[in-house]
């Protein structure tokens, strides 16, 4: 099984067995069943993994789940670039295409290999991406290839997020500290969470 297939199987399992009953159901979010081709299209073009309905509202979501070894981190990550990709159109990653309303980020209580035995999230958050996009557009959140490991608050008003590189050279990403989002701009940056602050 390729790394992509392994990652996809992990994410699909966590979505179905943990996120749906433990995160979305208590919020009264009901997943909309999409045609396979359309689901693939909105994922590739708009960075949307799932569509939900809550009453009359339609909600689009990007998801990312991690195994328990990431439990000490207080940030979520957005894929940034794939500069080594030979296909020019694929070098810009999810940061450049994401149009989802929300980002669900969770850390499970097991390893990736033992995902079938997982029973809960150690922590999770649903981040309001519309608010994050606004802060990125206004440069209140800015990405800096500064060699740092974590985000930092600058001048008590801005959030500097470092570019990080995957060891295998496949891509880069940047972390956004969830607690810093709330500290700087209030509770409406995160609509639900457990364990991040």
């Amino acid at each position: 099984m390729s790394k992509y297939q392994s990652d996809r199987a992990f994410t699909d399992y966590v979505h179905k067995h943990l996120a749906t009953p433990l995160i979305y159901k208590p919020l009264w979010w009901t997943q909309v069943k999409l045609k396979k081709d359309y689901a693939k299209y909105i994922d590739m073009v708009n960075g949307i993994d799932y569509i939900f309905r809550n009453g009359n509202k339609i909600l689009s979501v990007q998801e990312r789940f991690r195994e328990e070894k990431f439990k000490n981190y207080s940030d979520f990550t957005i894929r940034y670039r794939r500069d080594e990709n030979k296909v020019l159109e694929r070098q810009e990653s999810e940061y450049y295409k994401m149009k989802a309303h929300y980002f669900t980020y969770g850390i499970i209580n097991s390893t990736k290999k033992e995902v079938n035995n997982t029973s809960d999230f150690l922590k999770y958050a649903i981040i309001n991406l519309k608010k994050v996009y606004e802060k990125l557009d206004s440069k209140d959140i800015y990405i800096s290839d500064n060699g740092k490991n974590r985000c930092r608050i600058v001048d008590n008003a801005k959030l500097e997020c470092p570019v990080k590189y995957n060891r295998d050279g496949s891509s880069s990403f940047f972390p956004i500290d969830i607690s810093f989002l709330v500290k700087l701009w209030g509770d409406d940056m995160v609509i639900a969470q457990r364990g991040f602050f």
Side-chain angles (χ1 to χ4, degrees):
M1 182 182 292
S2 74
K3 183 176 182 336
Y4 172 81
Q5 290 171 316
S6 171
D7 289 347
R8 184 79 253 164
F10 170 75
T11 298
D12 289 347
Y13 186 91
V14 174
H15 170 79
K16 181 178 180 181
H17 296 281
L18 293 179
T20 297
L22 300 176
I23 298 174
Y24 301 126
K25 189 175 180 184
L27 294 173
W28 299 94
W29 289 15
T30 305
Q31 187 173 326
V32 175
K33 188 163 175 56
L34 303 172
K35 290 184 179 179
K36 225 176 212 181
D37 288 346
Y38 182 66
K40 185 176 179 181
Y41 174 81
I42 62 172
D43 181 23
M44 289 178 61
V45 175
N46 302 121
I48 295 171
D49 291 325
Y50 296 100
I51 303 287
F52 293 89
R53 184 182 297 279
N54 178 265
N56 292 329
K57 289 173 65 176
I58 299 295
L59 314 160
S60 57
V61 174
Q62 167 79 230
E63 287 185 340
R64 179 137 327 108
F65 302 117
R66 297 283 187 246
E67 58 188 324
E68 65 185 349
K69 71 180 181 180
F70 294 97
K71 67 184 176 187
N72 293 328
Y73 292 93
S74 60
D75 48 41
F76 73 104
T77 58
I78 296 177
R79 290 185 194 104
Y80 190 44
R81 298 196 52 84
R82 290 186 168 97
D83 290 325
E84 300 301 315
N85 197 309
K86 291 178 172 80
V87 180
L88 192 61
E89 296 83 34
R90 295 185 185 162
Q91 288 183 352
E92 292 183 343
S93 198
E94 72 186 6
Y95 167 70
Y96 296 93
K97 65 181 179 179
M98 270 191 356
K99 292 183 175 67
H101 298 118
Y102 301 101
F103 196 111
T104 300
Y105 192 78
I107 299 170
I108 63 169
N109 67 351
S110 74
T111 65
K112 193 179 260 192
K113 288 181 180 175
E114 298 171 331
V115 68
N116 292 341
N117 297 323
T118 194
S119 60
D120 203 353
F121 289 101
L122 295 172
K123 52 172 79 171
Y124 69 82
I126 301 178
I127 296 96
N128 185 334
L129 280 180
K130 183 177 179 195
K131 302 273 185 192
V132 172
Y133 301 148
E134 289 170 3
K135 298 302 179 188
L136 284 161
D137 289 345
S138 68
K139 307 289 189 232
D140 288 328
I141 298 175
Y142 62 96
I143 303 161
S144 176
D145 197 353
N146 59 12
K148 304 284 185 193
N149 286 322
R150 304 218 178 192
C151 294
R152 67 185 189 111
I153 295 175
V154 178
D155 299 327
N156 290 320
K158 294 184 181 289
L159 188 58
E160 179 185 41
C161 300
V163 176
K164 305 288 294 165
Y165 296 89
N166 286 313
R167 290 184 187 138
D168 63 3
S170 62
S171 63
S172 61
F173 62 92
F174 62 94
I176 299 178
D177 191 293
I178 295 168
S179 64
F180 288 175
L181 289 176
V182 172
K183 181 176 182 178
L184 286 171
W185 300 296
D187 290 339
D188 61 343
M189 295 296 289
V190 177
I191 65 159
Q193 73 87 32
R194 187 180 81 202
F196 276 100
F197 49 87

